[in-house]
Amino acid sequence: MRAAVVTTFGGPEAVEIVDVAVPEPGAGQVRIKVAASAVNPVDLAVRAGLFGGAGRTLGLGWDVAGTVDAVGVAAAWQVGDEVVALAGGVADPLGAHAEYVVVATDAVAKAPATVDAVHAGTLPLNALTAVQALDLLELEPGGSLLVTGAAGAVGGFAVQLAAHRGIAVTGQARAADEELVRSLGAADFTAEGVAPGSVDAVLDAAMLGEPALEWVRDGGAFVSARPGQQPAPVRGVRTTSVAVSADGARLAELVRLVDEGVLSLRVAETFGLEEAVKAHVRLAEGGVRGRLVLVP
């Protein structure tokens, strides 16, 4: 099969399409024939060497939408099931940017019934990151939350999920994105910031760091969308970061919200797997509203 990997670090040109053996599922695993997989900033970070792994082959791609085509012992899925899953990691030799991928059975959820595979392939990584970040904030209905980078993938899902929970959301993004952010459910919008100490919590999807921490009230909460990148706590504000983890049961809840119209899935452009370099170039340019999706 074909797969996108990096063997040396660098810019988009470091992405290689190679021929490798089709992986076989082990006990408690399933193999998915990939129909679509989004390209995310983490793929650019792996390609650039930000997570290490020099001298090794590193796979790319975390999002999976496709069809189960082989199962291992004790796998809870059947061949032919249409599914989504979170796959890969920053040090794995193969990721989801491939024709086939093997994942743990408990990382898998039934695919949304209301969208095609291309749109479904934008859900797992960013929606799981958003919902796991919200869980860390422990906000109750009626609480106030500011989401930075609210027009982006993680930020957009966070706005929708928080609003669905009855949380009053302020979205922070570029001024040109105000209409989009409000359409996602933000009650308020800012292109700059808010008054110091005026919200219960911040979900920092734009990685603003300490400046965004100032917006949280004393004793509030702050979560960074990048592992280990939270600022030091001040004024009793609890600071942490989210390290996304595969969770098929939680992913199934997110799929249900897609089918109920709570979560919208945004696709900006599709590319063939052999065009992975072009997708990396486009994502690095910035300003993408919606995901770039590889279609093997």
Side-chain angles (χ1 to χ4, degrees), residues 208-238:
L208 300 184
E210 289 187 7
L213 183 61
E214 294 303 311
W215 302 332
V216 183
R217 65 167 173 80
D218 293 359
F222 178 104
V223 62
S224 168
R226 184 175 296 169
Q229 295 300 304
Q230 71 270 25
V234 296
R235 299 179 288 105
V237 176
R238 177 173 53 86

Side-chain angles (χ1 to χ4, degrees), residues 73-94:
V73 176
W77 298 90
Q78 296 181 342
V79 172
D81 287 340
E82 300 291 330
V83 296
V84 289
L86 183 67
V90 297
D92 293 343
L94 286 175

